[in-house]
């Protein structure tokens, strides 16, 4: 049986939609149909283990954050595609490996782990009780800009396998406890819920801080709003073809004024700054890639570097090591 209830809030000037999901049953085929649907999953399979098969899945929250729980007596495997959400999960019982093809890191009891939602992955779990938190990209990126000055970027470069600071984990769990209490008393349409969601996004970012280059301090002053707009444009469109004219147009400046602003306040031309940001994207991808299947040249070309020798020299100058050494970590 599956129940999905999405309804608008009842109070306030900008009501938010309440998300409520409940699915349960005893058939492996029904579990595959229900649970894969919540994650746009592919090639899911389920089977009984030593105990009779059963499952229960619940979720409650709003479009920015949902608190979820998955309980399965049995074995479950499937592929989950890249997602616009950040998904943190941990086990209170059972066993599981979130990514059996690349990371191959088993879950440790009650320790949070971020799903690698920036790419496809295949999981395997058995006889488990799993807590899951879904956070929207919108709210996480807003809070990241407020706290880390990341600007409008498509990817924060979060390391889903980083070793977590126990103090950050404790703050995360405390934030979730406050959210659960507000769900019972005020619901998702209260001002307190909105405040707690942003606080939880902040706690999430303390566990998984952004690794992208933060906006240079020189662009954060109010009187340099146009330079900040230009820099944010570079970060947001780093994977696209770009010219100085594009950057200037985004900032409402002439090409000459844009070049002068970058040189004066950042010590780089706009295209040199773009090169720096693209090198950072290459490094992030090399650190996350599987060294047995990934190739430096393929990743470099994806970020616009055609000449491998010049790219390697620029990379070594920026990070003190060759890209092949980064990939082998």
């Amino acid at each position: 049986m599956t129940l999905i209830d999405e309804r608008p809030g009842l109070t306030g000037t900008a009501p938010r939609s309440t998300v409520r999901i409940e699915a349960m049953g005893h058939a492996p085929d029904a579990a595959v149909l229900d649970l894969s649907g919540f994650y746009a999953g592919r090639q899911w399979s389920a089977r009984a283990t030593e105990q009779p098969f059963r499952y229960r899945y619940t979720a409650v929250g709003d479009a920015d954050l949902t608190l979820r729980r998955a309980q399965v007596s049995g074995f479950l495997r499937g592929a989950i595609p890249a997602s616009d959400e950040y998904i943190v999960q941990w086990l209170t019982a059972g066993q599981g490996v979130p990514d059996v093809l690349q990371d191959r890191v088993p879950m440790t009891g009650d320790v949070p782990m971020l799903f690698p939602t920036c790419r496809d992955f295949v999981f395997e779990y058995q006889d488990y009780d799993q807590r899951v938190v879904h956070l929207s990209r919108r709210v996480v990126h807003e809070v990241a800009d407020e706290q880390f000055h990341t600007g409008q970027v498509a990817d924060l470069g979060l390391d889903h396998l980083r070793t977590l600071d126990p103090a950050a984990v404790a703050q995360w769990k405390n934030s979730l406890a406050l959210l659960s209490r507000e769900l019972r008393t005020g619901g998702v349409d209260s001002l307190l819920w909105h405040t707690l969601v942003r606080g939880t996004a902040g706690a999430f970012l303390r566990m998984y801080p952004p690794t992208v280059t933060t906006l240079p301090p020189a662009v954060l002053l109010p009187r340099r709003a146009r330079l900040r707009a230009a820099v944010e444009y570079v970060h947001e469109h780093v994977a696209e073809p770009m010219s100085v004219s594009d950057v200037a147009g985004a900032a409402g400046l002439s090409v000459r004024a844009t070049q002068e602003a970058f040189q004066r306040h950042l010590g780089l031309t706009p295209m040199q700054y773009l090169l720096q940001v693209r090198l950072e994207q290459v490094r992030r991808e090399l650190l996350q890639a599987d060294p047995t299947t990934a190739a430096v040249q393929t990743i470099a070309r994806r970020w616009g570097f055609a000449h491998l020798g010049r790219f390697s020299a620029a990379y070594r100058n920026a990070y003190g090591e060759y890209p092949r050494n980064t990939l082998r970590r």
Side-chain angles (χ1 to χ4, degrees), residues 64-84:
D64 282 330
L65 186 149
T66 50
L67 302 176
R68 307 188 181 205
R69 184 178 184 181
Q71 298 166 279
V72 177
S73 176
F75 174 85
L76 194 65
R77 173 190 170 102
I80 296 178
S83 169
D84 283 339

Side-chain angles (χ1 to χ4, degrees), residues 140-151 215 228 232:
V140 170
H141 283 226
E142 281 185 2
V143 174
D145 192 20
E146 293 168 6
Q147 295 187 356
F148 297 93
H149 306 302
T150 54
L215 297 183
R228 171 167 179 156
E232 286 183 336

Side-chain angles (χ1 to χ4, degrees), residues 1-322:
M1 179 187 72
T2 305
L3 171 64
I4 301 177
D5 177 14
E6 296 188 29
R7 53 187 172 180
L10 302 177
T11 63
T13 57
R16 289 176 288 278
S17 293
T18 302
V19 175
R20 293 184 184 277
I21 300 171
E22 184 171 12
M24 64 182 71
H26 295 83
D29 289 346
V32 168
L33 182 63
D34 282 341
L35 303 183
S36 66
F38 302 138
Y39 292 92
R42 303 188 308 273
Q43 300 177 326
W44 283 38
S45 61
R47 57 175 169 80
T49 52
E50 296 179 355
Q51 304 176 26
F53 188 91
R54 67 181 186 276
Y55 69 98
R56 184 169 187 262
Y57 186 96
T58 59
V60 61
D62 66 6
D64 282 330
L65 186 149
T66 50
L67 302 176
R68 307 188 181 205
R69 184 178 184 181
Q71 298 166 279
V72 177
S73 176
F75 174 85
L76 194 65
R77 173 190 170 102
I80 296 178
S83 169
D84 283 339
E85 293 185 303
Y86 294 104
I87 303 173
V88 182
Q89 47 91 46
W90 63 99
L91 297 182
T92 58
Q95 55 189 323
V97 180
D99 183 1
V100 297
L101 300 184
Q102 183 165 320
D103 298 333
R104 307 177 186 90
V105 178
M107 295 295 301
T108 301
D110 210 30
V111 177
M113 182 182 289
L114 177 64
F115 274 157
T117 51
C118 61
R119 57 174 171 78
D120 292 7
F121 62 97
V122 176
F123 71 89
E124 288 183 356
Y125 287 82
Q126 181 170 322
D127 299 325
Y128 64 96
D129 190 341
Q130 178 192 46
R131 308 302 173 100
V132 191
V133 179
H134 287 229
L135 282 158
S136 75
R137 181 172 296 263
R138 183 193 69 81
V139 74
V140 170
H141 283 226
E142 281 185 2
V143 174
D145 192 20
E146 293 168 6
Q147 295 187 356
F148 297 93
H149 306 302
T150 54
Q152 298 179 20
V153 293
D155 187 355
L156 295 173
L158 307 185
D159 178 5
H160 67 284
L161 295 180
R162 69 176 275 115
T163 300
L164 302 182
D165 177 8
V169 173
Q171 186 172 7
W172 163 256
K173 291 186 176 181
N174 182 62
S175 295
L176 297 181
L178 293 173
L179 277 170
S180 296
R181 183 185 307 166
E182 181 58 17
L183 274 175
R184 294 191 298 270
T185 58
V188 304
D189 204 33
S190 69
L191 176 60
L192 181 55
W193 169 264
H194 173 76
T195 302
L196 292 174
V197 166
R198 297 183 71 80
T200 301
F204 166 74
L205 289 166
R206 279 184 278 279
M207 290 196 301
Y208 297 99
T211 61
V212 296
T213 300
T214 58
L215 297 183
V219 311
L220 301 178
L221 298 176
R223 65 178 179 273
R224 293 177 188 153
R226 291 197 175 187
L227 177 58
R228 171 167 179 156
V231 169
E232 286 183 336
Y233 180 87
V234 172
H235 283 261
E236 188 174 0
H237 299 274
V238 63
E240 304 170 14
M242 192 181 308
S243 67
V244 179
S245 295
D246 296 327
V247 179
L253 296 170
S254 68
V255 168
R256 180 175 179 179
T258 301
Q259 291 172 325
E260 290 178 348
F262 270 76
Q263 286 281 15
R264 183 183 310 114
H265 300 296
L266 303 179
L268 300 168
T269 68
M271 292 298 98
Q272 287 171 336
Y273 187 80
L274 173 62
L275 173 68
Q276 177 179 293
V277 177
R278 284 181 173 165
L279 283 172
E280 174 195 299
Q281 296 297 321
V282 171
R283 181 171 179 80
R284 177 190 58 79
E285 195 165 331
L286 288 172
L287 288 169
Q288 294 181 352
D290 183 346
T292 63
T293 59
V296 170
Q297 185 173 11
T298 300
I299 294 173
R301 289 182 64 86
R302 184 156 48 242
W303 290 102
F305 296 97
H307 192 285
L308 189 59
R310 286 197 289 267
F311 157 73
S312 294
Y315 187 95
R316 185 174 186 276
N317 185 56
Y319 300 110
E321 64 181 10
Y322 287 109

